[in-house]
């Protein structure tokens, strides 16, 4: 075994060490006065109560799924000893699930500490508030990336020893990589439930707080008198922090794994025992952790007038650029001059070009998503203008912006797939996705900082702090809305490239040559696959609607039955609203999750691998479009509403909060909430999870050909 393989888990450990240092720094910051700490305590307790409730359900699922995996596997003989790879896949699945859940827990824990400390820092300056909130996000980013690289790298080393791998081009190596699919399946399964469950939780609370608090009672959603305000702030953590963390954890694992599966098919002579195409994605992603750490040094501003978005962009672009430069030297050092995958020959320099393509695709996705969702840009301004003529025209404007926002990203994605394939075949597509995901630590840090800032604003409002404190947190929150949208665009783009690579790996393992859509069953599978993202989205949105109705009734009841709430003489029953969101999210996340897990198994074993391939193609195309449309429409609606806080000019007249156009914008934002935080971002997990499930069952389908 070549010694360079040990560098992979070492880089993961480095990320976790830096994460621990930054987490300790956040904990040492001033948490404000007693009232602020009490409010933050409610949020932290609610977040942890949700996690415990979710983990109880998911632990049952993990045990059952692991048992099924263990029962259904195959036996391999190594040095005269029979080894049940099914049991190892099952163990790998459990480790992946635990690591994914741990990543969400780390993010949740630090976010519920950083929120109140950001509020306190905002009493001093915007610069300090950004430092605290972004450092909290960095803990999340490094925790996810570090656990992925440590988990995959460490397990791969163990499996190489277990299966006594001597030659790369051997059944033992195939099995060693095959059992890693269990790790990815565990990660993606937890990600789906965390993302859907967290999304339902946060949006049920948000919609309830908006409809009764803002629209009916005429008070801010974060007003301490609003019974749903604690649940709303808890939701920011369970959906946008823990959910997003588990989401990108799964994406990261699936991307690296897909590249490793395809890399195993490349037979090369190198200085690494022929393992260079397999090790390359892990090394690049490990280095991405290092350069993400470097990138965080650039995220700083001078004063309250500085542009926060520019500071975040500086950190993001610098980490991406450094990773690309390092990739050039790594590719040159590790790979031989020429490589061949399934008859497609390419040079090592072409592999580097494919990495550049992936980075450029990710960058363009971020830029385009920012354009369609950022305050002050044309699309958001168009929604603001249409708010002047009522609620219906606001909705129409948001829907059209979301639909138009798919055009450039899809063309970019299509161009990226063609270019990366041209340079290095299917391996090029996979390594392009790995290049895009290499700086996940930085992407997630930028993403997680948003909900921390949002919580900080909520605590400032509830604590009735001076207006300048809320102005600073709102500045961070508005940028956070945009970074959240760009993060979702980035995630869906990586999911598309990863799914194509997983699709190629599935075709190879299942033993089929092509997916022929002239065959009626395959075409039928394509149509059914295209439908799945629609029913999945419908179930997610319906779940938010149901839970929101319960929340609205509860908030109305408290305003009606508890005298003195509006006069600050009585404290609302926050815990009842928290309980409604928790129960609804746990209950409603089951059906969407079942669709993603069971459908590929049924189609694969009943109709065969080729029809399953058609199903995956339909899910991928439809899911990518639905994900982009919903996430961008929701982000644009949100920032259109937020624009009224500083005043907007419509037909020569300036409108502010509580005006009629603002009320229309609140309605649009409410409709967009489940789009951007529940169903939209779940699409990338849906398409990857179905691909991973198909990859896991592929060896058993190949027998039936």
């Amino acid at each position: 075994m070549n010694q360079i393989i040990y560098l992979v888990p070492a880089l993961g450990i480095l990320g976790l060490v830096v994460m621990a240092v930054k987490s300790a720094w956040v904990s040492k910051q001033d948490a404000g006065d007693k009232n602020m700490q009490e409010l933050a305590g409610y949020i932290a307790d609610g977040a942890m109560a949700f996690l415990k409730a979710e983990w109880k359900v998911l632990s049952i699922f993990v045990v059952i799924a692991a048992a099924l995996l263990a029962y259904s596997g195959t036996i391999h003989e190594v040095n005269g000893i029979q080894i049940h790879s099914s049991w190892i896949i099952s163990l790998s699945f459990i480790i992946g699930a635990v690591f994914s859940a741990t990543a969400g827990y780390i993010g949740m824990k630090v976010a519920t500490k950083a929120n109140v400390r950001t509020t306190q820092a905002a009493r001093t300056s915007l610069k300090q508030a950004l430092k605290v909130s972004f450092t909290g996000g960095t803990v999340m980013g490094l925790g996810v990336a570090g656990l992925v690289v440590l988990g995959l790298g460490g397990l791969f080393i163990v499996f190489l020893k277990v299966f006594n791998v001597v030659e790369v081009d051997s059944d033992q190596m195939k099995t060693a990589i095959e059992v890693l699919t269990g790790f990815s399946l565990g990660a993606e399964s937890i990600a789906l439930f965390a993302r859907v469950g967290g999304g339902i939780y946060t949006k049920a609370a948000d919609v309830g707080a908006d409809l009764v608090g803002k629209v009916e009672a005429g008070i801010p959603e974060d007003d301490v008198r609003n019974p749903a305000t604690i649940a709303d702030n808890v939701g920011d953590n369970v959906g946008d922090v823990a959910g997003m963390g588990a989401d990108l954890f799964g994406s990261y694992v699936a991307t690296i794994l897909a590249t490793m599966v395809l890399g195993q098919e490349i037979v090369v002579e190198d200085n690494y025992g022929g393992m260079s195409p397999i090790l390359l994605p892990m090394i690049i992603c490990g280095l991405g952790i290092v350069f993400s750490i470097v990138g965080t040094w650039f995220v700083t501003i001078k004063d309250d007038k500085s542009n926060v978005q520019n500071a975040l962009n500086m950190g993001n672009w610098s980490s991406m650029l450094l990773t690309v430069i390092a990739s050039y030297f790594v590719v040159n050092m590790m790979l031989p001059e020429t490589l061949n995958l399934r008859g497609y020959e390419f040079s090592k320099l072409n592999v580097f070009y494919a990495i550049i393509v992936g980075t450029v695709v990710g960058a363009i996705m971020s830029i385009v998503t920012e354009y369609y969702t950022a305050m002050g840009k044309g699309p958001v301004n168009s929604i603001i203008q249409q708010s002047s003529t009522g609620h219906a025209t606001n909705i129409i404007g948001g829907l059209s912006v979301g639909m138009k926002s798919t055009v450039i990203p899809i063309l970019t994605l299509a161009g990226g797939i063609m270019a990366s394939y041209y340079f290095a075949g299917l391996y090029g597509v996979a390594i392009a996705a790995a290049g895009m995901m290499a700086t996940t630590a930085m992407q997630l840090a930028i993403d997680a900082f948003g909900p921390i800032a949002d919580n900080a604003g909520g605590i400032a409002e509830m604590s009735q702090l001076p207006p300048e404190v809320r102005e600073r947190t709102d500045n961070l929150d508005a940028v956070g809305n945009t970074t959240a949208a760009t993060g979702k665009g980035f995630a869906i783009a990586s999911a598309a490239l990863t799914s194509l690579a997983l699709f190629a790996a599935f075709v190879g393992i299942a033993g089929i040559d092509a997916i022929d859509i002239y065959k009626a069953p395959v075409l039928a599978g394509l149509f059914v696959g295209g439908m799945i993202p629609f029913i999945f989205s419908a179930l997610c949105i319906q779940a938010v609607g149901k839970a929101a109705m319960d929340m609205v009734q509860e908030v109305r009841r408290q305003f009606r039955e508890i005298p003195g709430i509006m006069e600050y003489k009585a404290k609302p029953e926050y815990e009842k609203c928290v309980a409604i969101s928790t129960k609804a999210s746990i209950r409603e996340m089951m059906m969407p999750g079942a669709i993603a897990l069971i459908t590929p198994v049924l189609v694969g074993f009943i109709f065969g691998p080729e029809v399953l391939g058609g199903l995956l193609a339909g899910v991928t195309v439809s899911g990518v479009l639905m994900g982009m449309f919903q996430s961008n429409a929701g982000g644009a609606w949100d920032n259109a509403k937020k624009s009224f806080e500083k005043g907007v000019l419509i037909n020569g007249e300036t409108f502010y909060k509580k005006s009629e156009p603002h009320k229309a914008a609140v309605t649009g934002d409410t409709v967009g909430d489940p789009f951007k935080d529940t169903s939209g971002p779940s699409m990338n997990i849906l398409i990857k999870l179905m691909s991973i499930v198909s990859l896991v069952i592929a060896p058993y389908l190949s027998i039936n050909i």
Side-chain angles (χ1 to χ4, degrees):
M1 192 187 300
N2 199 285
Q3 299 304 308
I4 195 172
I5 195 171
Y6 294 103
L7 177 63
V8 177
L11 290 171
I13 292 169
L14 172 66
L16 294 175
V17 168
V18 177
M19 176 208 76
V21 171
K22 289 187 175 291
S23 179
W25 182 86
V26 170
S27 298
K28 289 177 183 175
Q29 302 309 299
D30 187 358
D33 59 39
K34 186 179 179 182
N35 183 43
M36 290 166 62
Q37 290 181 39
E38 182 182 359
L39 292 167
Y42 287 142
I43 296 169
D45 291 345
M48 289 305 155
F50 168 80
L51 266 192
K52 287 176 183 176
E54 185 180 53
W55 284 353
K56 281 181 183 177
V57 174
L58 291 184
S59 60
I60 297 169
F61 160 75
V62 168
V63 169
I64 294 171
L68 289 172
L69 285 170
Y71 175 75
S72 61
T74 54
I75 299 174
H76 295 265
E77 190 166 304
V78 179
N79 294 338
I81 301 172
Q82 288 189 334
I83 296 179
H84 290 258
S85 66
S86 54
W87 286 97
I88 301 177
I89 290 176
S90 176
L91 179 63
S92 184
F93 171 82
I94 294 170
I95 295 171
V98 170
F99 271 42
S100 181
T102 303
Y105 173 80
I106 289 169
M108 184 89 87
K109 197 73 177 173
V110 75
T112 52
K113 284 184 178 180
N115 55 10
V116 69
R117 288 163 173 79
T118 300
T119 308
Q120 180 65 13
R123 301 176 83 163
T124 308
S125 67
L126 181 64
K127 178 179 180 178
Q128 189 63 17
L130 172 62
K131 185 176 182 181
V132 175
S133 57
F134 182 71
T135 303
T138 303
V139 172
M140 179 65 170
L142 291 174
V144 167
L147 283 171
V148 168
V149 174
L150 173 62
L152 265 182
L155 281 176
F156 187 51
I157 291 170
V158 170
F159 294 154
L160 288 179
K161 290 183 179 294
V162 167
F163 292 102
N164 194 27
V165 176
V166 179
E167 296 179 6
V168 173
D169 185 23
S170 64
D171 289 339
Q172 285 91 343
M173 175 60 89
K174 285 181 182 177
T175 305
I177 295 178
E178 180 187 312
V179 293
L180 280 177
T181 58
F183 185 81
S184 186
L185 180 61
E188 289 290 0
S189 299
I190 297 300
L192 181 71
F193 288 116
R195 183 46 118 172
V196 173
I200 293 168
Y201 186 112
T202 182
K203 292 304 108 180
D206 200 0
V207 171
D210 280 357
L211 289 182
V212 186
K214 282 200 279 196
V215 178
E216 294 181 11
I219 61 175
E221 64 179 295
D222 289 319
D223 195 298
V224 72
R225 295 170 292 178
N226 193 331
T229 190
I230 294 295
D232 186 12
N233 281 281
V234 170
D236 291 334
N237 292 291
V238 301
D240 295 336
V241 178
M244 175 56 92
D247 178 353
L248 282 186
F249 184 95
S251 296
Y252 209 15
V253 173
T255 302
I256 298 172
L257 177 66
T259 317
M260 292 172 69
V261 172
L262 291 171
Q264 192 272 331
E265 294 185 38
I266 302 174
V267 181
V268 295
E269 290 185 12
D270 55 25
N271 297 322
Y272 305 95
M275 292 175 60
S276 56
I278 300 169
L279 294 176
L280 184 63
M282 287 194 285
I283 296 290
I284 288 174
C285 289
L287 291 173
I289 293 176
V290 176
F291 296 122
S292 292
I293 294 169
V294 174
T296 62
W297 302 341
F298 296 96
V299 181
T300 183
I301 55 175
K302 291 182 179 178
D303 51 43
D304 282 19
K305 295 179 181 178
S306 300
N307 190 310
V308 175
Q309 184 70 61
N310 288 346
L312 294 171
N313 287 344
M314 181 66 74
N316 191 20
W317 300 133
S318 60
S319 61
M320 290 170 73
L321 181 61
L322 288 169
T323 303
V324 168
I325 292 170
S327 297
Y328 173 79
F329 294 102
V330 171
V331 167
N332 264 311
M333 178 185 78
M334 292 185 66
L335 297 181
E337 287 300 324
T338 57
L339 303 94
N340 188 302
L341 175 61
R342 299 181 187 175
Y344 196 98
E345 193 167 288
F346 49 94
S347 69
K348 65 179 179 182
L349 195 58
N350 280 7
V351 173
F352 172 67
Y353 293 151
I355 293 170
I356 293 177
V357 168
T359 307
V360 170
V361 168
I364 293 174
M365 287 292 196
S366 297
I367 292 167
V368 172
T369 307
E370 182 181 333
Y371 170 73
Y372 276 101
T373 58
M375 290 170 68
K377 305 288 186 183
V380 169
N381 286 340
S382 71
I383 297 173
I384 292 169
Q385 297 301 315
Q386 290 178 79
S387 300
S388 65
T389 50
H391 302 249
T393 47
N394 172 281
I395 300 297
I396 292 168
L399 290 173
S400 66
V401 164
M403 290 177 183
K404 284 193 292 186
S405 73
T406 64
V407 177
I408 297 175
I410 286 295
L411 293 176
T412 301
L413 202 50
I417 290 169
M418 292 171 69
S420 56
Y421 184 87
Y422 170 79
F423 285 126
L426 290 168
Y427 186 76
V429 176
I431 203 71
M436 187 191 300
M437 292 294 292
T439 55
T440 290
M442 173 56 78
Q443 301 294 335
L444 193 49
I446 292 171
D447 205 308
F449 122 92
I452 292 172
D454 193 0
N455 261 205
I459 292 170
E461 185 78 50
M462 288 186 282
S463 302
Q464 300 176 320
L465 296 180
E468 64 268 17
V469 177
R470 185 67 202 239
E471 284 176 21
R472 288 169 183 148
T473 59
D474 279 350
N475 186 334
L476 296 177
D477 185 27
V479 173
N481 280 337
T482 303
T483 59
T486 55
K488 287 159 191 166
F490 179 86
I492 200 73
S494 70
L497 290 177
T498 301
S499 293
L500 182 57
L502 289 169
F503 187 75
F506 163 76
V507 168
I509 293 174
I512 52 179
D513 297 322
I515 310 294
D516 186 357
I517 62 169
Y518 280 122
K519 295 178 181 177
V522 177
L523 188 60
L526 188 68
F527 275 109
V528 172
M531 170 273 295
I532 286 174
F534 284 85
I535 186 62
F536 187 93
S537 294
L539 289 170
C540 291
I541 294 168
Q542 176 183 285
V544 170
K546 279 184 186 176
M549 286 173 65
D550 292 342
M551 187 69 71
V552 166
Q553 295 300 333
E554 174 60 25
V555 175
R556 284 175 178 167
R557 182 197 68 77
Q558 292 197 32
F559 278 137
R560 186 174 62 248
E561 296 180 6
I562 303 176
I565 286 182
M566 294 301 288
E567 294 79 29
Y568 298 101
K569 293 178 180 178
K571 184 182 288 188
E573 296 173 339
Y574 301 123
E575 68 282 353
K576 291 194 175 177
C577 291
V578 170
I580 287 172
S581 269
T582 301
K583 288 176 184 175
S585 59
I586 300 298
R587 181 182 69 244
E588 301 291 344
M589 73 181 184
M590 293 303 169
M591 185 58 73
I595 288 174
L597 288 163
I598 295 172
T599 304
V601 177
L602 292 178
V603 172
F605 283 105
I606 295 173
F607 298 102
E610 198 171 350
V611 176
L612 178 54
L615 180 93
L616 293 178
V619 167
T620 301
V621 173
S622 177
V624 167
L625 284 164
M626 284 286 284
M628 288 178 182
F629 156 60
Q630 293 183 89
S631 295
N632 292 343
W637 267 317
D638 195 348
N639 271 342
K641 175 207 70 175
K642 270 200 165 42
S643 299
F644 283 90
E645 292 168 2
K646 293 182 179 179
V648 296
L649 193 66
I650 303 175
N651 299 326
E653 187 179 351
T654 303
F655 292 91
Y656 294 92
K657 291 174 73 171
K658 299 188 180 180
S659 63
E660 288 304 313
H662 175 250
K663 289 178 182 176
V666 169
T667 299
D669 176 43
T670 306
V671 172
D673 274 339
F675 273 38
K676 72 180 174 66
D677 289 324
T678 310
S679 56
S682 299
M683 288 296 104
N684 64 305
I685 310 175
L686 171 71
I687 60 181
K688 290 197 299 336
L689 181 56
M690 291 185 70
S691 296
I692 288 288
V693 171
S694 302
L695 193 60
V696 170
I697 65 173
Y700 315 112
L701 301 180
S702 63
I703 299 168
N704 301 322
I705 295 175

